[in-house]
Amino acid sequence: MPREDAKTALSERSAEARRFAVVDWAETTLGPRATWPTALQTVARLMLHSRQPMFLAWGHDLAFLYNDAYAPILGARHPGALGQPFRQVWPEIWDELVPLVQRALDGQSTWAENLHLVMHRNGYPEDTWYTFSYSPLHDDEGRVAGMFCTCMETTGQVLAERALRENEGRFRALLDAAPAMIWVTDREGHCTHLNRSWFEFTGQAATESEDHDWIGPVHPEDRPGVETAFARAITDQSPLRLDYRMRHADGGWRWVIDAAEPRRDAAGRFLGHVGSVMDITDRREAEERQAMLAREVDHRAKNMLAVVQAALRLTRAPDQASYARAVEGRVAALARAQTLLANDRWAGADLRAMLEGELAAFLGGLPGSARCTLEGPPVALPAEAAQPLNMLVHELATNAAQHGALSTPGGRVQVGWQVDAGRLRLRWTESGGPEILAPPTRRGFGTRVLEGTVRGQLGGQLLLDWRRQGLDCTLNLPLAARATVPDII
């Protein structure tokens, strides 16, 4: 199987591909997945790996993507909703959602709690309630290109609160059957009921949680804030919403969201609060990973743009067409490095694959036709080293094709490498090209890339031997590369 076919097959076996395999993305406004912007790829990957129900809507028609946890919310509309415009996925509630969607597209985050929506997701109208947030999504240039939603269906909680007002005893039975942790207080703030999920989550015995002892599982650093907010909600007879850390039965700390509403009797008199506590640790960790990925994408984009600016400024050519070809070649080399990294989820890049990408025209399709030979063990380059090393090889190949061994029919290039004690030693040897009478005297962009990349950015050593029969270049660099911008800028 050709190498590219093997890569495609490996990608198709990934979890992401299996989840999205039911859609021909080329037929949607998003286009083939390989063409999706980095920002969209990043947030889609983050969403797919979260257990919190999430969806995103991207592009001018807000094409709809969602994760497995969101699929039950769609009911019979799953999986047909993938790739469809947002308004076509939820036509019966679109008018109610438009103001929130528009605010997100205007760059503002929104939050809705226990919003009542009548859905037809299973072919008949259903009363449902949701707590969710809409946030703007930005493209690779920082423009708002869509919106992102994390949500949870609170229908059960709302219905449970209604049942409380009708029958306290039956309500308590419902509370014990609920998967969320639920608590009830009287008008003085004394805890009168904690459901079964609370005790399972905290590991407490029922006797430990009478009256105000429910505060025990709250993290000591968060406890003063929780107590203050709870006291204010009792005094004001107002709703309560808090995020804090709670001790789990396994001894670890988990982030939870605690949301409560005042209870009132038929005459409107305040009876206390009923609240639900949900574990949101995974959601918070996902948000933190999303922020980290966004910072990483920003960092890499700035580095790449800095190299492009240097290429534009330092490239020299006798005419405009030659200048354009040189710059396009260097930008294409950057793009190939980005593709290699993206294919491996930015974990690194394969050295041989990188060399084959830059020297493909000289490797030969038939036995004996190759003008370049590659010899060395498998090496996984760290992400920080892949892009600069790809640029370095591109400059060597370009120089060889224009002035060196690959500029004549009989010329040859041999590339060999080995790894020893965490360092990569790569040797580029040219032969059979034009005779070299003296080393070059001008330091162009290619020379700056060689010196700036190896010594400055990668912290390695560079030896250039301009032999009569051809250039002999030896690189010695650590595989734990330093993430700095080269000094060619």
Side-chain angles (χ1 to χ4, degrees), residues 266-325:
R269 292 186 294 267
F270 178 65
L271 300 177
H273 283 84
V274 58
S276 66
V277 181
M278 297 189 67
D279 185 350
I280 59 168
T281 304
D282 291 341
R283 189 190 79 183
R284 287 182 64 100
E285 291 176 350
E287 291 171 348
E288 291 170 0
R289 286 195 297 271
Q290 180 183 4
M292 181 185 68
L293 287 171
R295 290 192 297 270
E296 180 67 14
V297 168
D298 179 66
H299 169 73
R300 294 187 187 280
K302 287 179 179 177
N303 276 2
M304 184 170 67
L305 288 175
V307 176
V308 171
Q309 288 175 333
L312 292 171
R313 187 173 69 250
L314 298 175
T315 297
R316 300 289 182 266
D319 52 61
Q320 185 175 356
S322 299
Y323 175 83
R325 285 194 299 272

Side-chain angles (χ1 to χ4, degrees), residues 420-460:
D420 184 26
R423 298 183 70 86
L424 172 67
R425 187 175 186 276
L426 186 146
R427 186 175 182 182
W428 172 286
T429 307
E430 299 183 23
S431 61
E435 185 178 8
I436 299 177
L437 300 178
T441 57
R442 184 177 66 85
R443 292 179 75 251
F445 179 82
T447 305
R448 289 172 180 263
V449 167
L450 288 171
E451 296 177 352
T453 296
V454 176
R455 297 193 179 103
Q457 189 172 8
L458 301 179

Side-chain angles (χ1 to χ4, degrees), residues 155-391:
T155 304
Q157 175 185 329
V158 172
L159 294 178
E161 292 170 0
R162 290 183 175 183
L164 176 63
R165 291 191 291 268
E166 299 170 357
N167 188 304
E168 188 77 19
R170 185 172 63 183
F171 176 69
R172 291 194 177 192
L174 289 173
L175 295 185
D176 278 338
M181 292 174 279
I182 298 179
W183 52 268
V184 181
T185 66
D186 62 19
R187 59 174 53 90
E188 302 299 328
H190 302 300
C191 186
T192 61
H193 184 76
L194 291 166
N195 73 340
R196 184 181 299 112
S197 295
W198 172 281
F199 298 114
E200 291 175 351
F201 184 90
T202 63
Q204 285 183 309
T207 54
E208 294 179 56
S209 302
E210 295 176 355
D211 198 14
H212 279 313
D213 285 345
W214 61 269
I215 199 73
V218 178
H219 195 287
E221 295 178 3
D222 301 337
R223 195 172 298 167
V226 172
E227 291 177 327
T228 299
F230 186 69
R232 185 183 304 116
I234 295 171
T235 301
D236 298 342
Q237 300 180 12
S238 61
L240 173 73
R241 185 185 179 280
L242 291 170
D243 290 5
Y244 55 84
R245 288 164 290 179
M246 178 179 284
R247 186 175 61 247
H248 190 264
D250 64 9
W253 295 102
R254 305 284 293 178
W255 278 99
V256 299
I257 180 172
D258 195 339
E261 290 290 329
R263 294 189 300 129
R264 301 186 185 276
D265 61 17
R269 292 186 294 267
F270 178 65
L271 300 177
H273 283 84
V274 58
S276 66
V277 181
M278 297 189 67
D279 185 350
I280 59 168
T281 304
D282 291 341
R283 189 190 79 183
R284 287 182 64 100
E285 291 176 350
E287 291 171 348
E288 291 170 0
R289 286 195 297 271
Q290 180 183 4
M292 181 185 68
L293 287 171
R295 290 192 297 270
E296 180 67 14
V297 168
D298 179 66
H299 169 73
R300 294 187 187 280
K302 287 179 179 177
N303 276 2
M304 184 170 67
L305 288 175
V307 176
V308 171
Q309 288 175 333
L312 292 171
R313 187 173 69 250
L314 298 175
T315 297
R316 300 289 182 266
D319 52 61
Q320 185 175 356
S322 299
Y323 175 83
R325 285 194 299 272
V327 170
E328 288 172 358
R330 284 160 179 160
V331 172
L334 282 172
R336 285 191 291 271
Q338 293 288 104
T339 300
L340 281 174
L341 289 170
N343 288 341
D344 205 14
R345 300 187 180 185
W346 295 91
D350 180 70
L351 175 61
R352 181 178 289 274
M354 183 199 73
L355 291 167
E356 289 175 346
E358 293 302 322
L359 298 169
F362 306 101
L363 292 175
L366 298 174
S369 64
R371 301 183 59 196
C372 289
T373 59
L374 307 178
E375 184 176 355
V379 175
L381 297 172
E384 296 84 353
Q387 183 175 293
L389 191 57
N390 198 89
M391 282 294 295

Side-chain angles (χ1 to χ4, degrees), residues 37-117:
T38 301
L40 176 57
Q41 296 265 15
T42 300
V43 73
R45 185 177 300 117
L46 172 70
M47 175 187 69
L48 288 172
H49 288 84
S50 175
R51 291 182 292 175
Q52 170 75 20
M54 297 179 180
F55 72 82
L56 66 88
W58 186 275
H60 69 276
D61 64 346
L62 296 179
F64 205 78
L65 305 177
Y66 53 90
N67 63 2
D68 289 346
Y70 187 83
I73 294 175
L74 287 163
R77 293 174 178 176
H78 170 71
L82 277 171
Q84 298 302 308
F86 191 178
R87 68 182 304 157
Q88 294 181 21
V89 175
W90 294 115
E92 69 273 21
I93 58 174
W94 177 248
D95 289 343
E96 297 173 77
L97 297 179
V98 162
L100 298 174
V101 172
Q102 190 57 55
R103 286 182 64 186
L105 296 180
D106 289 341
Q108 303 177 52
S109 296
T110 62
W111 169 267
E113 186 168 5
N114 293 335
L115 180 67
H116 177 232
L117 298 169

